[in-house]
């Protein structure tokens, strides 16, 4: 499924729409170039989960944690130097007790959960983005199908 966004707020709204469909144990991987809107999307996701603080880019701190209906763990692997650091973050354990969302999964594809919902962000023009949902595994398929229904109805 591909969604079009015409503004940062619209990208947040897509994240907010996805939030109620998520539960502890779900994993979202956000791919796409710098400035494509991944962090903007996480802001909407956090809002949709009932977290009302701010969500920032994690340039130095790799992991952020936001307490809402379900705990949201936000990892940005952009500055990751080697895959071993990801093990140290304990991503696997985290993905059981909350929703895990990972920016720059390309940095460590081999150690991220095999079953996940990939959201690929593409820059179309200055304010326009395309978000493609690519589910891996039965649970991710279920989320993508529910999202498809949510946006069409
Ligand atoms: P990333 O995390 O992918 O590097 P960010 O979310 O931090 O990207 O930044 C996206 C940038 O693009 C912001 O400056 C935002 O204002 C801008 N932008 C413009 N249009 C959009 C859109 N439709 N969706 C998301 N961001 C957009
Ligand atoms: Mg970012």
């Amino acid at each position: 499924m591909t969604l079009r966004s015409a503004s940062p707020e619209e990208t947040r709204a897509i994240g907010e729409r996805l939030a109620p469909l998520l539960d502890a144990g779900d994993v979202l991987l956000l791919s796409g170039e710098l400035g494509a809107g991944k962090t903007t999307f996480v802001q909407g996701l956090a809002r949709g989960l009932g977290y009302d603080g701010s969500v920032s880019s994690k340039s130095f701190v790799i992991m952020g944690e936001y307490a809402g209906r379900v705990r949201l763990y936000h990892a940005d692997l952009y500055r990751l130097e080697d895959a071993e650091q990801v093990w140290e973050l304990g991503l696997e354990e985290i993905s059981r007790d909350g929703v895990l969302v990972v920016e720059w999964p390309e940095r460590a594809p081999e150690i991220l959960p095999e079953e996940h919902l990939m959201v690929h962000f593409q820059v179309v023009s200055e304010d326009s983005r395309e978000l493609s949902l690519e589910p891996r595994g039965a649970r991710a398929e279920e989320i993508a199908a529910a999202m498809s229904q949510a946006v069409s109805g």
Side-chain angles (χ1 to χ4, degrees):
M1 181 191 21
T2 299
L3 300 167
R4 195 55 97 90
S5 162
S7 69
E9 187 46 37
E10 224 176 285
T11 296
R12 282 184 208 104
I14 294 170
E16 192 169 9
R17 210 93 197 255
L18 183 62
L21 310 175
L22 299 174
D23 272 311
D26 291 335
V27 178
L28 301 179
L29 305 184
L30 312 183
S31 76
E33 65 183 272
L34 212 61
K38 301 180 296 296
T39 300
T40 302
F41 176 86
V42 177
Q43 291 166 350
L45 207 56
R47 192 167 74 189
L49 288 171
Y51 174 76
D52 63 4
S54 70
V55 170
S56 54
S57 285
K58 300 282 167 293
S59 329
F60 296 101
V61 182
I62 283 182
M63 184 73 85
E65 193 181 321
Y66 317 111
R69 173 181 66 84
V70 180
R71 198 172 289 276
L72 179 65
Y73 294 97
H74 178 201
D76 187 333
L77 306 185
Y78 187 61
R79 284 166 184 273
L80 193 76
E81 273 155 21
D82 60 272
E84 252 173 60
Q85 284 184 303
V86 177
W87 279 125
E88 288 162 17
L89 292 173
L91 290 186
E92 285 284 345
E93 276 167 50
I94 282 165
S95 67
R96 272 173 236 138
D97 119 293
V99 170
L100 174 66
V101 57
V102 181
E103 295 188 45
W104 292 98
E106 301 90 332
R107 290 281 194 270
E110 69 281 5
I111 54 90
L112 289 169
E114 232 168 85
E115 303 215 339
H116 58 254
L117 179 60
M118 175 74 79
V119 183
H120 184 69
F121 291 72
Q122 201 138 13
V123 178
V124 178
S125 66
E126 196 179 340
D127 290 323
S128 180
R129 304 288 187 271
E130 222 168 63
L131 281 63
S132 315
L133 271 52
E134 296 160 18
R136 290 284 161 75
R139 172 58 188 155
E141 299 265 8
E142 193 180 299
I143 298 166
M147 184 62 179
S148 178
Q149 265 203 326
V151 296
S152 69

